[in-house]
Amino acid sequence: VPPPHYSHNSIMIDLTISKEKSTPQQKPVPQLLTNRRALLLLGALLLGVGLLYLYYLNLPNFSEEDKKKIRLPTDVGSLKQLQEVLSRYTENNFFSVVIGYCLIFIFLQTFSIPGTIFLVVLGGSLFGFWLGFALSIINSTLGASASFLISSLVARNLLERYFPARLAKFTEEVDRHRNHLFWYFVFLRITPMVPNWFINLASPILRVPLWIFFLGTAVGIMPAVGMYTQTGLTLQTLTDMKDLSNSITSLAVLFLLGFLALLPTNPTFQNLIHYVLFGQPKAE
């Protein structure tokens, strides 16, 4: 009986198959940003920059000396200089100053760029307490919601790659408070427990409804915004922002309000309220 004949091609195929079987398959590394998502992020950024540039083209006629002072404040000194310039132009260019203030505020908040605390103080100084307070609440909430929407498209792989432990912990907490997310988000916004930029990026990944995110943000930031807006009324006496944001009194007030925000989620408190309103404990 003649020996079996093996062609060169069949040997190569057998070797390839055996190699594939012996080599364990590796999980593909997720791509941080697909081309489509990168284009969406770039488009959102260019839209914001474009709106700011259009506003820049229609600025009032500032003097050369004043133009040097018009920049994003990074400390109390530059904030006072900016307030000094804008206060002179607000009387005759009120709506122009308000529009620019809102555009810059929302842009910074959307892309988590530091500086919005200075703008809250500036709003109180330029527009008074109530208008400054209202504008800061609206701008902060709109900017955070825009960040939420952008994150729902592009942020999942970024957070899983660079902040896995923090994301896992936040996921656990959100799931634990899933039945009363609104109050939990009010608590998060009041207290500095979780950075605001991380809340904005992680919330859509954890299937937090946009309306809860929006309302929880608007209500939760009110105490801090009120505190910084009030500071704007006495801006000229302020020497250092750290004295305000890190003071024991300010932190104590915020944590107390955060604790009160979580009370409606406590079963004992729920039973107490039900007993006061209806004269009997809440049915299980």
Side-chain angles (χ1 to χ4, degrees):
V1 178
H5 173 71
Y6 296 100
S7 67
H8 175 73
N9 291 336
S10 64
I11 295 175
M12 292 298 294
I13 293 174
D14 291 340
L15 289 175
T16 303
I17 293 175
S18 62
K19 184 178 180 180
E20 290 178 353
K21 289 181 179 179
S22 62
T23 304
Q25 292 185 353
Q26 297 180 350
K27 293 183 179 180
V29 178
Q31 188 177 357
L32 290 182
L33 286 177
T34 63
N35 291 337
R36 181 182 178 184
R37 291 178 178 180
L39 288 175
L40 288 172
L41 179 60
L42 180 61
L45 181 62
L46 290 177
L47 176 62
V49 173
L51 290 174
L52 291 176
Y53 182 70
L54 287 177
Y55 173 75
Y56 174 78
L57 294 178
N58 294 277
L59 277 176
N61 295 322
F62 292 106
S63 66
E64 292 300 323
E65 182 179 353
D66 286 342
K67 286 181 180 180
K68 297 177 182 178
K69 301 177 181 179
I70 300 177
R71 54 190 176 89
L72 190 65
T74 55
D75 53 38
V76 173
S78 58
L79 178 61
K80 289 181 179 180
Q81 290 181 346
L82 181 61
Q83 187 273 341
E84 178 187 353
V85 172
L86 293 181
S87 61
R88 296 199 303 267
Y89 287 86
T90 300
E91 183 175 352
N92 296 325
N93 302 276
F94 178 80
F95 290 105
S96 177
V97 173
V98 168
I99 291 172
Y101 174 81
C102 293
L103 285 176
I104 295 172
F105 201 126
I106 293 174
F107 180 82
L108 296 181
Q109 190 75 12
T110 298
F111 296 101
S112 302
I113 301 173
T116 53
I117 290 179
F118 290 105
L119 294 184
V120 175
V121 176
L122 180 64
S125 179
L126 290 177
F127 311 121
F129 180 83
W130 290 111
L131 181 56
F133 176 80
L135 289 176
S136 294
I137 294 292
I138 293 171
N139 292 334
S140 296
T141 306
L142 290 178
S145 299
S147 180
F148 177 102
L149 294 174
I150 294 174
S151 174
S152 65
L153 299 174
V154 303
R156 175 181 291 276
N157 291 339
L158 292 172
L159 292 179
E160 290 177 347
R161 171 74 66 85
Y162 296 109
F163 305 98
R166 177 175 285 181
L167 182 61
K169 178 64 176 177
F170 191 50
T171 301
E172 179 183 337
E173 291 299 315
V174 169
D175 289 340
R176 190 160 66 91
H177 295 89
R178 183 70 65 176
N179 293 331
H180 34 75
L181 270 180
F182 170 76
W183 293 111
Y184 180 59
F185 266 78
V186 172
F187 166 79
L188 287 177
R189 292 304 193 181
I190 291 177
T191 59
M193 300 289 290
V194 182
N196 283 323
W197 65 266
F198 187 80
I199 297 174
N200 297 344
L201 296 181
S203 294
I205 297 173
L206 304 183
R207 296 177 289 105
V208 175
L210 179 58
W211 72 269
I212 289 180
F213 177 89
F214 185 92
L215 293 179
T217 297
V219 174
I221 63 176
M222 285 183 179
V225 168
M227 180 176 64
Y228 286 116
T229 303
Q230 181 65 34
T231 302
L233 303 180
T234 57
L235 175 60
Q236 298 306 319
T237 64
L238 187 66
T239 57
D240 194 337
M241 289 291 291
K242 293 182 180 179
D243 296 337
L244 175 64
S245 59
N246 294 333
S247 69
I248 296 177
T249 303
S250 300
L251 292 176
V253 169
L254 291 179
F255 274 102
L256 175 61
L257 292 174
F259 170 76
L260 294 176
L262 281 183
L263 275 181
T265 70
N266 184 274
T268 303
F269 181 80
Q270 293 173 357
N271 288 331
L272 176 62
I273 295 299
H274 195 276
Y275 184 83
V276 170
L277 295 177
F278 303 103
Q280 59 183 1
K282 185 178 179 182
E284 296 294 336

